[in-house]
């Protein structure tokens, strides 16, 4: 009996010892225990380069790193976008702990302007036949040239940036510099021949076939990509990324700001309407959220707020339109300056700016005029409404009697006798007794 108990205790001790000596084997199972289990993540980018897209790409890279993905494929089709968002995406790709593949696809797609930098920053750059890449010269948000005083500074900065990417990734630095300086553009086959991209793939299966066994080398990083038999996992943008991508456009952020200020202004001038205030508050929150990701010139923002203050004062102060004029001027200057940050070649587009300023200014001035007219209008109810009203004497005034005014019979008095049936006008009200004067019949 004692021998059996001793054997049982020895067995239990061996089990506990094994658990402590080999915890990884007995207590944990890695999410991807072998290289064969690594998935291939893919994201589809068919949009302008904006802060919302930057946030989504950074999220996709973090997800791929966390899940030890084999690689992250970015299917790209973009006309370009904001420099700041492009720099953020390139930075995330250059420092990613998983191989990144940019595939300009499908046929007819392009990697223009900011898309050139993103394609060049990938570990593997690929294009589908019928696509093109290039035209990376910086322009403003409206498509015009950057002002001459700023053009050289911005251009030289972007040239240095794209050359550093080319040197890091072993691409054709000379062609990439010309894409920025001269807006040159090439087809997929020409880009491959000039070492701008690494391969040309007919479609996604062809891309995966060519990627299988591809060696990715960076400073302190080396990986062989294996794609055969790997699961393809798409990464879809969540509601947060969708909203941010929609409102990160400076034009949309500006319109939301104007709607928000107009709604709150209407609610303050006409308390109790509620709906304009609710819409205004929501629009302002969305505008402020977007402005966190867009470089903002706060002098412009302060001028817009000052314009709202002037419009509100127009309601309280009889300035004969001078405050409304000052508010309109501040609104125009503030709108021009709002996203005009030195070094950033974009601002509110004129087709958006002009009708928005005119509409909002007219709205503010119209509401101020309505409120001012309501304040100056003679009261329609109460004792004050009787002043100036006309009526008929029903009981002769000598000096007191009765008059019929606004459908009611009132006690009245007059400074001189007035006969019954005569027409009178109310000039004062004292203790619910009307003081009237006669009206001469013509």
């Amino acid at each position: 009996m004692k021998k059996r108990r001793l054997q049982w205790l020895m067995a239990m001790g061996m089990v506990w010892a094994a658990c402590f000596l080999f915890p990884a084997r007995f207590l944990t199972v890695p999410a991807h225990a072998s290289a064969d289990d690594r998935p291939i993540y893919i994201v589809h980018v068919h949009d302008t380069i904006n802060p919302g897209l930057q946030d989504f790409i950074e999220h996709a890279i973090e997800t791929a790193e966390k899940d030890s993905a084999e690689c992250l494929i970015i299917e790209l089709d973009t006309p370009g976008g904001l420099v700041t968002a492009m720099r953020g995406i390139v930075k995330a790709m250059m420092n990613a702990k998983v191989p990144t593949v940019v595939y300009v696809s499908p046929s007819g797609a392009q990697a223009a302007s900011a898309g050139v930098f993103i394609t060049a920053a990938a570990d593997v750059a690929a294009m589908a036949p019928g696509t093109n890449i290039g035209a990376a010269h910086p322009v403003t948000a409206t498509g015009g040239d950057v002002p001459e005083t700023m053009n050289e500074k911005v251009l030289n900065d972007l040239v240095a940036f794209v050359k550093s990417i080319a040197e890091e990734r072993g691409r054709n630095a000379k062609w990439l510099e010309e894409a920025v300086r001269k807006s040159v553009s090439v087809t997929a086959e020409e880009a491959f021949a000039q070492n701008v991209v690494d391969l040309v793939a007919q479609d996604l299966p062809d891309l995966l076939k060519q990627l299988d066994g591809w060696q990715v080398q960076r400073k302190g990083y080396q990986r062989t990509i294996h794609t055969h038999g790997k699961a393809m996992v798409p990464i879809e943008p969540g509601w947060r990324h969708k909203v941010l991508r929609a409102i990160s456009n400076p034009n949309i952020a500006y319109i939301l700001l104007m709607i928000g200020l107009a709604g709150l202004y209407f609610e303050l001038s006409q308390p109790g309407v509620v709906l304009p205030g609710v819409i205004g508050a929501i629009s302002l929150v969305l505008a402020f959220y977007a402005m966190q990701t867009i470089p903002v010139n706060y002098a412009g923002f302060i001028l817009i707020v000052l314009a709202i203050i002037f419009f509100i004062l127009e309601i309280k102060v009889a300035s004969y339109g001078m405050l409304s004029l000052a508010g309109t001027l501040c609104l125009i200057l503030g709108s021009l300056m709002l996203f005009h940050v030195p070094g950033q070649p974009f601002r509110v587009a004129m087709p958006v700016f002009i009708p928005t300023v005119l509409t909002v200014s007219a709205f503010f001035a119209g509401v101020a005029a309505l409120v001012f007219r309501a304040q100056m209008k003679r009261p329609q109810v109460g004792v004050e409404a009787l002043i100036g009203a006309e009526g008929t004497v029903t009981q002769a005034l000598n000096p007191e009697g009765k008059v019929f005014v606004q459908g009611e019979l009132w006690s009245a008095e007059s400074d001189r006798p007035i006969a019954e049936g005569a027409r009178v006008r109310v000039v004062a009200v004292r203790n619910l007794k009307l003081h009237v004067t006669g009206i001469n019949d013509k």
Side-chain angles (χ1 to χ4, degrees), residues 26-41:
F26 288 89
L27 299 178
T28 61
V29 178
H32 301 290
S34 66
D36 294 336
D37 297 329
R38 292 174 179 165
I40 298 174
Y41 281 172

Side-chain angles (χ1 to χ4, degrees), residues 334-349:
S335 299
L336 288 172
M337 297 169 60
L338 185 60
F339 300 117
H340 191 196
V341 179
Q344 299 297 331
F346 62 92
R347 63 184 73 182
V348 178

Side-chain angles (χ1 to χ4, degrees), residues 104-110 127-133 186-189 200-202:
V104 184
S105 173
S107 294
Q110 62 177 337
M127 298 178 67
T131 59
N132 65 281
I133 184 172
V186 293
T187 64
E189 290 75 12
V200 176
Q202 295 291 330

Side-chain angles (χ1 to χ4, degrees), residues 37-75:
D37 297 329
R38 292 174 179 165
I40 298 174
Y41 281 172
I42 183 169
V43 294
H44 302 278
V45 176
H46 305 283
D47 199 357
T48 58
I49 307 302
N50 56 62
L53 179 62
Q54 174 191 346
D55 188 75
F56 174 55
I57 295 296
E58 290 174 348
H59 165 72
I61 291 175
E62 291 176 1
T63 302
E65 291 176 344
K66 182 181 66 174
D67 295 345
S68 301
E70 187 68 32
C71 65
L72 173 66
I73 299 177
I74 301 173
E75 188 178 86

Side-chain angles (χ1 to χ4, degrees), residues 242-398:
K242 291 179 180 178
V243 171
L244 185 57
R245 286 167 70 175
I247 67 177
S248 290
N249 187 303
N251 298 309
I252 302 298
Y254 173 69
I255 292 173
L256 287 172
L257 179 63
M258 292 295 101
I259 292 175
L261 293 175
L264 291 185
Y265 170 76
F266 190 86
E267 184 64 30
L268 291 174
S269 60
Q270 302 286 333
V273 180
V274 180
L275 182 61
V278 172
I279 295 176
I282 294 173
S283 298
L284 276 182
V285 170
L286 292 175
F288 290 150
Y289 182 64
M291 289 166 66
Q292 288 181 343
T293 62
I294 303 174
V296 175
N297 188 320
Y298 288 99
F301 181 76
I302 292 173
L303 280 172
I304 292 177
V305 173
L306 188 61
I308 306 303
I309 294 175
F310 284 152
F311 284 122
I312 293 176
L313 288 177
E314 183 67 65
I315 299 174
K316 307 295 182 182
V317 180
S319 68
Y320 304 100
M322 293 304 297
L323 286 173
S324 292
L325 183 61
T328 302
L329 181 61
C330 287
L331 188 62
I332 293 173
L333 293 176
S335 299
L336 288 172
M337 297 169 60
L338 185 60
F339 300 117
H340 191 196
V341 179
Q344 299 297 331
F346 62 92
R347 63 184 73 182
V348 178
M350 284 298 170
V352 175
F353 163 73
I354 294 175
T356 302
V357 167
L358 293 177
T359 302
V360 172
S361 298
F363 172 79
F364 286 153
V367 173
L370 290 174
V371 173
F372 182 74
R373 184 182 301 174
Q375 291 177 343
M376 299 302 294
K377 191 175 182 180
R378 189 170 65 87
Q380 300 297 314
V381 296
V383 173
E384 292 80 2
L386 292 170
I387 306 300
E390 296 181 2
T392 304
V393 177
T394 58
Q395 181 182 339
L397 301 175
N398 192 23

Side-chain angles (χ1 to χ4, degrees), residues 137-151 183 345-347:
H137 188 84
V139 295
T140 64
T142 58
D145 291 331
V146 179
E148 185 176 354
T149 54
M150 188 64 65
N151 181 60
S183 290
F346 62 92
R347 63 184 73 182

